[in-house]
Amino acid sequence: MTISHRLLSAMDHVFPAPVAEAHCDGPCGVYDPASARIAGEAVLSMTKKILALDMSAEGSHNTYSRYVAIKEEQADDVKRELCILWHDYFKPEHLEAYPDLHTIFWNAAKQGSTCKTTVSVEAAETLMGMIENIHNMFWESKGRDIPWYTAS
Amino acid sequence: MTISHRLLSAMDHVFPAPVAEAHCDGPCGVYDPASARIAGEAVLSMTKKILALDMSAEGSHNTYSRYVAIKEEQADDVKRELCILWHDYFKPEHLEAYPDLHTIFWNAAKQGSTCKTTVSVEAAETLMGMIENIHNMFWESKGRDIPWYTAS
Amino acid sequence: MTISHRLLSAMDHVFPAPVAEAHCDGPCGVYDPASARIAGEAVLSMTKKILALDMSAEGSHNTYSRYVAIKEEQADDVKRELCILWHDYFKPEHLEAYPDLHTIFWNAAKQGSTCKTTVSVEAAETLMGMIENIHNMFWESKGRDIPWYTAS
Amino acid sequence: MTISHRLLSAMDHVFPAPVAEAHCDGPCGVYDPASARIAGEAVLSMTKKILALDMSAEGSHNTYSRYVAIKEEQADDVKRELCILWHDYFKPEHLEAYPDLHTIFWNAAKQGSTCKTTVSVEAAETLMGMIENIHNMFWESKGRDIPWYTAS
Amino acid sequence: MTISHRLLSAMDHVFPAPVAEAHCDGPCGVYDPASARIAGEAVLSMTKKILALDMSAEGSHNTYSRYVAIKEEQADDVKRELCILWHDYFKPEHLEAYPDLHTIFWNAAKQGSTCKTTVSVEAAETLMGMIENIHNMFWESKGRDIPWYTAS
Amino acid sequence: MTISHRLLSAMDHVFPAPVAEAHCDGPCGVYDPASARIAGEAVLSMTKKILALDMSAEGSHNTYSRYVAIKEEQADDVKRELCILWHDYFKPEHLEAYPDLHTIFWNAAKQGSTCKTTVSVEAAETLMGMIENIHNMFWESKGRDIPWYTAS
């Protein structure tokens, strides 16, 4: 089956008078550090729960393995979500206001890795602080005042 | 859309004294309808952008295909994130306060599918309204006052 | 477990004259609880194998970690596959015949989570029973007689 | 936090008297060609629906893009599920009974690719025939009699 | 229900004379065994690191679980990447030059599974040898001389 | 593009005496820009094939949609693979030798996005040039001489 040329030219009539976009800053323009924050909270929660495990209890090894896997996955999500902000939201014009932009994201990603290789509440809280810092920088750059909160 | 200043100042009273959670009853206890909201916003944004496309412009078919794929993926994320809330956060004891719980989630998931099979701003806005409703129900069930906002 | 010969011969009557579907009700109209059943069987199998592990044997900790991860993944697949049936196949008109529809799926999803957080043959067998129940309800709703079987 | 040596040796007591596995043929021993069959049915369904699309109808380009993406994904699933059977279930001792084993799977995988690159009912039906053939070979190799059926 | 011998022998007539494709370079024509090699190196590296772990050190169980999960994932990647070469790159006309093609890929995939179920440097090195062999066969089939190297 | 014979014979001298790595710097220490290069080649290949499509040919819309989806996925892989190098391989001590490290990766990621939003051979070739540059920087930082090649 093919789409005839008639159909292709018919499309000109189907999508009439498109609204001009004054500016567009990415695929969908929906960026929100909340995604990284939620994953960061899960990293912190899992870290605390791993440390609190009674390893002599029945099923504790199942729980331990699961918690490590969830911590791993969520730390990965933090890194990926931060990358989206760094790659896709922030642009060269932001560098003047935020000259440490690259270092901030680099360090946060590396802290995500630290939360994987350790089981440390301090490391996870440091990561959360870095995400909060990025939250503030992000919303400031958009001229909006979105308060930081945690879900847990 | 922004959060009104009245709500923002109200939050000053909420955050210094967050409701303590006596216990945590899940893998990580970190649930937040913001994940569904962000995906829902992307569905709405993509829908608007698809409708606004000038199909005679160079590369417009590339853009059209990409936008449909992103809309598809994000609508899927809405459905998955809502499922997590329904499966894992809400428990039998919530049914008394929210007797329509199942119907609310069922309809929202089906609305996610509608946003896939159509290119309709109305469908996407209906989905956003359903997510906002779930946001309100969720935070009320936790006794917290987290204002609704959108990132875009 | 096998399919009884009685059922097998009954199918000879079913298959030559399949119920025609008058209309198509979804993206592809291909729904089959077998997907959830296969994942459920893997959950049960992994549970039994974890319990049977000789933890003093060489490599047993590698095996233990792997089995927990597979159990986790497969229980997740059960939940996801059931969600597809609940979201996309079942429609408001089914509620009259199956008034407990929502509760059935909610409980099955929660049982999937129980199979993650425990290493319990009883929990996994309960999950399998719930999937079999959904299998029967599903095929009955389509007016077809597909016998239940397990692959393992 | 560490697990003390005391705990490690305690594990010897936690997992007592493991059941010896007489034989074990893979991670979980749950193989079922139904997974490939369900994906194959979706490929066939999408192919038919693409060919039946009225491209002048509103939203038809959204539908077309979605159907192609679903066909792509499902054909990929066919290939992956068949690979699992070929890699993990079938063993050298099966080659005597099924000397064409490799060719059968190779051709089926290549047919999966053909279903991606074309929109052809004939190609999709050929794929379904190959999956049915594998279904028969698989269950025969296990000495079981599981009838072939399709869900759609 | 079984496959009749008649059908099996009929296939002998179908498969020995496949329709020759004058040339076909696949979806993108970009095949490179380096993808499998990189994943194979990670399997080998993780295997060595698991064996070198001091399980009495703080955090060693977190590390152990993570390494097993990474080994699992990377061995899966090896199998998947090899499948792409076998399915999509190699064609019937290659069988004359490489009559053991199917066996080579089958054994390599099974070796990938062995690297999952064991923690064995020997198994991982055997896998690497198989990948190197495929690297040589692949580039030879393209008439190119790409030297084998490892990144680690 | 091929590797010149001069380089190939030069490698004979490089490989028998690989630089020993005194320490290991990550989860597995296996980093290789080849992963990004392979994905980048697929982006370039898909771009060329999209532009070469005869849209009046049967099935061309299926092909167009598939190629855009593959281009999208592969450009995403480029971004992800580069992120792994930036996050996990490069360390503060590399900044002295490569003061533009952050900008190089930032621009390459943004170029990956450009290859998604456009169908431009020039954009894809620019991306390939950036990946080659990273390849050179990466191997130089390890004191190794791995020649650049492309698989297609």
Side-chain angles (χ1 to χ4, degrees):
Chain A
M1 189 190 107
T2 59
I3 301 177
S4 75
H5 273 90
R6 204 157 45 86
L7 275 174
L8 279 171
S9 63
M11 285 177 61
D12 293 339
H13 300 282
V14 173
F15 300 93
V19 177
E21 296 187 79
H23 76 106
C24 168
D25 58 356
C28 69
V30 182
Y31 300 106
D32 193 333
S35 300
R37 186 258 302 158
I38 293 167
E41 286 189 70
V43 170
L44 177 57
S45 165
M46 286 294 99
T47 301
K48 287 178 179 170
K49 289 196 171 190
I50 291 169
L51 294 173
L53 268 179
D54 172 7
M55 292 305 291
S56 64
E58 193 182 310
S60 60
H61 287 78
N62 177 61
T63 307
Y64 188 94
S65 277
R66 296 180 63 241
Y67 284 178
V68 170
I70 297 172
K71 174 166 74 74
E72 195 77 3
E73 180 189 83
Q74 297 292 317
D76 227 55
D77 281 358
V78 170
K79 292 172 74 175
R80 187 171 45 79
E81 292 293 342
L82 293 181
C83 245
I84 291 173
L85 297 179
W86 185 64
H87 283 169
D88 296 337
Y89 169 71
F90 284 103
K91 301 205 163 35
E93 56 265 33
H94 289 117
L95 283 176
E96 201 176 329
Y98 309 106
D100 294 331
L101 184 78
H102 299 333
T103 307
I104 286 168
F105 278 99
W106 204 38
N107 287 344
K110 285 183 177 302
Q111 190 67 19
S113 296
T114 300
C115 290
K116 289 181 163 189
T117 56
T118 62
V119 188
S120 158
V121 172
E122 192 186 340
E125 287 179 342
T126 298
L127 179 64
M128 283 301 288
M130 287 170 156
I131 296 171
E132 183 173 356
N133 183 30
I134 287 169
H135 165 102
N136 292 331
M137 180 174 70
F138 173 83
W139 289 114
E140 188 190 72
S141 80
K142 299 192 74 152
R144 292 185 59 184
D145 186 10
I146 303 289
W148 169 261
Y149 72 93
T150 57
S152 49
Chain B
M1 188 187 123
T2 58
I3 303 171
S4 80
H5 275 86
R6 201 156 47 86
L7 272 173
L8 280 172
S9 63
M11 286 179 64
D12 290 339
H13 299 284
V14 173
F15 278 100
V19 175
E21 294 189 81
H23 70 105
C24 167
D25 55 359
C28 70
V30 181
Y31 300 105
D32 192 334
S35 301
R37 186 257 303 157
I38 293 167
E41 286 188 70
V43 170
L44 177 57
S45 165
M46 286 295 100
T47 300
K48 287 178 180 170
K49 289 195 173 190
I50 291 170
L51 293 172
L53 267 180
D54 172 7
M55 291 306 289
S56 65
E58 194 182 308
S60 61
H61 286 78
N62 176 61
T63 307
Y64 188 95
S65 278
R66 295 180 63 241
Y67 284 178
V68 170
I70 297 172
K71 173 167 76 73
E72 195 78 2
E73 181 189 82
Q74 297 292 317
D76 227 56
D77 281 358
V78 170
K79 293 172 73 177
R80 186 170 46 78
E81 292 293 342
L82 293 181
C83 246
I84 290 172
L85 297 179
W86 185 63
H87 283 169
D88 295 340
Y89 169 72
F90 283 103
K91 303 204 162 37
E93 56 264 35
H94 289 117
L95 283 177
E96 201 176 328
Y98 308 106
D100 294 331
L101 185 79
H102 299 333
T103 307
I104 286 168
F105 277 98
W106 204 38
N107 288 344
K110 285 184 177 302
Q111 189 68 19
S113 296
T114 300
C115 290
K116 288 181 164 189
T117 57
T118 62
V119 187
S120 158
V121 172
E122 192 187 340
E125 287 179 342
T126 298
L127 179 63
M128 283 301 287
M130 289 169 156
I131 296 170
E132 183 173 356
N133 184 30
I134 287 169
H135 165 101
N136 292 331
M137 180 174 69
F138 172 84
W139 289 115
E140 188 190 72
S141 80
K142 298 191 76 152
R144 290 184 62 183
D145 186 9
I146 302 289
W148 169 260
Y149 72 93
T150 57
S152 49
Chain C
M1 186 185 126
T2 59
I3 302 172
S4 79
H5 275 87
R6 199 156 48 87
L7 274 173
L8 280 172
S9 62
M11 286 178 64
D12 291 340
H13 298 283
V14 173
F15 279 101
V19 175
E21 294 189 80
H23 68 104
C24 165
D25 57 357
C28 69
V30 182
Y31 300 106
D32 193 333
S35 301
R37 186 256 303 158
I38 293 166
E41 286 188 70
V43 170
L44 177 57
S45 164
M46 286 294 100
T47 301
K48 286 178 179 171
K49 289 196 172 189
I50 291 169
L51 293 172
L53 268 180
D54 172 6
M55 292 305 290
S56 64
E58 194 182 310
S60 61
H61 286 77
N62 176 60
T63 307
Y64 188 95
S65 278
R66 295 180 64 242
Y67 284 177
V68 170
I70 296 172
K71 174 167 73 74
E72 195 77 4
E73 182 189 82
Q74 297 292 318
D76 227 55
D77 281 358
V78 171
K79 293 171 73 176
R80 186 170 47 77
E81 292 293 342
L82 294 181
C83 246
I84 290 172
L85 296 179
W86 184 63
H87 283 168
D88 296 339
Y89 169 72
F90 284 104
K91 302 207 163 32
E93 56 265 34
H94 290 117
L95 283 177
E96 201 176 328
Y98 309 106
D100 294 331
L101 184 79
H102 299 334
T103 307
I104 286 168
F105 278 99
W106 204 39
N107 288 344
K110 286 184 178 302
Q111 189 68 19
S113 296
T114 299
C115 291
K116 289 181 164 191
T117 57
T118 61
V119 188
S120 158
V121 172
E122 191 188 340
E125 287 179 343
T126 298
L127 179 65
M128 283 301 288
M130 288 169 156
I131 295 170
E132 183 173 357
N133 183 31
I134 286 170
H135 166 100
N136 292 332
M137 179 174 70
F138 173 83
W139 289 115
E140 187 189 74
S141 81
K142 299 191 75 151
R144 290 185 61 183
D145 186 10
I146 302 289
W148 169 261
Y149 71 93
T150 57
S152 50
Chain D
M1 187 190 109
T2 60
I3 302 177
S4 75
H5 273 87
R6 202 157 47 86
L7 275 174
L8 279 172
S9 62
M11 286 177 61
D12 293 341
H13 300 281
V14 171
F15 298 97
V19 177
E21 295 188 79
H23 77 107
C24 168
D25 60 354
C28 70
V30 183
Y31 300 105
D32 192 334
S35 300
R37 186 257 303 157
I38 293 167
E41 286 188 71
V43 170
L44 177 58
S45 165
M46 285 294 100
T47 300
K48 287 178 179 169
K49 289 196 172 191
I50 291 169
L51 294 172
L53 267 180
D54 172 7
M55 292 305 291
S56 66
E58 194 182 310
S60 61
H61 285 78
N62 177 60
T63 306
Y64 188 94
S65 278
R66 295 181 63 242
Y67 284 179
V68 170
I70 297 172
K71 174 165 75 71
E72 195 77 3
E73 181 190 82
Q74 297 292 318
D76 227 55
D77 281 359
V78 170
K79 292 171 72 177
R80 187 170 46 78
E81 293 292 343
L82 293 181
C83 246
I84 290 172
L85 297 179
W86 185 63
H87 283 169
D88 296 340
Y89 169 71
F90 284 103
K91 301 204 165 34
E93 56 265 34
H94 290 117
L95 283 177
E96 201 176 328
Y98 309 106
D100 294 330
L101 184 80
H102 300 333
T103 307
I104 286 168
F105 278 98
W106 203 39
N107 288 344
K110 286 184 176 302
Q111 189 67 19
S113 296
T114 299
C115 290
K116 289 180 163 190
T117 57
T118 62
V119 188
S120 158
V121 171
E122 191 188 340
E125 287 179 342
T126 298
L127 179 64
M128 283 301 288
M130 288 169 156
I131 296 170
E132 183 173 356
N133 183 28
I134 287 169
H135 165 102
N136 293 332
M137 178 174 69
F138 172 83
W139 290 115
E140 189 191 69
S141 80
K142 299 191 75 151
R144 290 185 60 184
D145 186 8
I146 302 289
W148 168 261
Y149 71 93
T150 57
S152 50
Chain E
M1 186 181 128
T2 60
I3 304 177
S4 77
H5 275 87
R6 201 157 48 87
L7 270 175
L8 280 173
S9 63
M11 287 175 62
D12 290 341
H13 299 284
V14 174
F15 287 114
V19 175
E21 296 185 78
H23 77 105
C24 169
D25 56 359
C28 69
V30 182
Y31 301 106
D32 193 333
S35 300
R37 185 257 304 158
I38 293 167
E41 286 188 70
V43 169
L44 177 58
S45 164
M46 285 294 100
T47 300
K48 287 178 179 169
K49 289 196 171 190
I50 291 169
L51 293 173
L53 267 180
D54 171 7
M55 291 306 290
S56 64
E58 193 180 311
S60 61
H61 285 77
N62 176 62
T63 306
Y64 188 95
S65 279
R66 296 180 63 242
Y67 284 177
V68 170
I70 296 172
K71 174 166 74 75
E72 194 78 4
E73 181 190 81
Q74 296 293 317
D76 226 54
D77 281 358
V78 170
K79 292 171 73 176
R80 186 170 46 78
E81 292 294 341
L82 293 181
C83 246
I84 291 173
L85 296 179
W86 185 63
H87 282 170
D88 296 338
Y89 170 71
F90 284 102
K91 302 203 164 36
E93 57 264 34
H94 291 116
L95 284 177
E96 200 176 329
Y98 309 106
D100 294 332
L101 184 79
H102 299 333
T103 307
I104 287 168
F105 278 99
W106 204 39
N107 287 344
K110 285 184 177 302
Q111 189 68 19
S113 296
T114 299
C115 291
K116 289 181 164 191
T117 56
T118 61
V119 188
S120 157
V121 172
E122 191 188 340
E125 286 179 343
T126 299
L127 179 64
M128 283 301 288
M130 288 169 156
I131 296 170
E132 183 173 355
N133 183 31
I134 287 169
H135 165 101
N136 291 333
M137 178 174 70
F138 173 83
W139 289 115
E140 187 190 72
S141 80
K142 299 191 74 151
R144 290 185 61 185
D145 185 10
I146 302 288
W148 169 260
Y149 71 93
T150 57
S152 48
Chain F
M1 187 186 120
T2 58
I3 302 172
S4 79
H5 275 86
R6 201 156 47 87
L7 273 173
L8 280 172
S9 62
M11 287 178 64
D12 290 340
H13 300 283
V14 173
F15 278 101
V19 175
E21 293 189 82
H23 68 103
C24 167
D25 58 356
C28 68
V30 182
Y31 301 105
D32 192 334
S35 301
R37 186 256 303 158
I38 293 167
E41 285 188 72
V43 169
L44 177 57
S45 165
M46 286 294 100
T47 300
K48 286 179 180 169
K49 290 196 172 190
I50 291 169
L51 293 172
L53 267 179
D54 171 7
M55 292 305 291
S56 65
E58 192 179 313
S60 62
H61 285 77
N62 177 60
T63 307
Y64 188 95
S65 279
R66 295 180 64 244
Y67 285 177
V68 170
I70 296 171
K71 174 167 74 74
E72 195 77 3
E73 182 189 81
Q74 297 293 317
D76 227 54
D77 281 359
V78 170
K79 293 171 73 177
R80 187 169 46 78
E81 292 293 343
L82 293 181
C83 247
I84 290 172
L85 298 179
W86 185 63
H87 282 169
D88 296 339
Y89 169 72
F90 283 103
K91 302 204 163 34
E93 56 263 35
H94 290 117
L95 283 176
E96 200 176 329
Y98 308 107
D100 293 331
L101 184 80
H102 299 333
T103 306
I104 286 168
F105 278 99
W106 203 39
N107 287 345
K110 285 184 177 303
Q111 190 67 19
S113 296
T114 299
C115 290
K116 289 181 165 192
T117 57
T118 62
V119 187
S120 159
V121 172
E122 191 187 341
E125 287 179 342
T126 299
L127 179 63
M128 283 302 287
M130 289 170 156
I131 295 170
E132 183 173 357
N133 184 30
I134 287 169
H135 164 102
N136 292 331
M137 179 174 70
F138 173 84
W139 289 115
E140 187 189 73
S141 81
K142 299 191 76 153
R144 290 185 60 185
D145 185 10
I146 302 289
W148 169 260
Y149 72 93
T150 57
S152 49

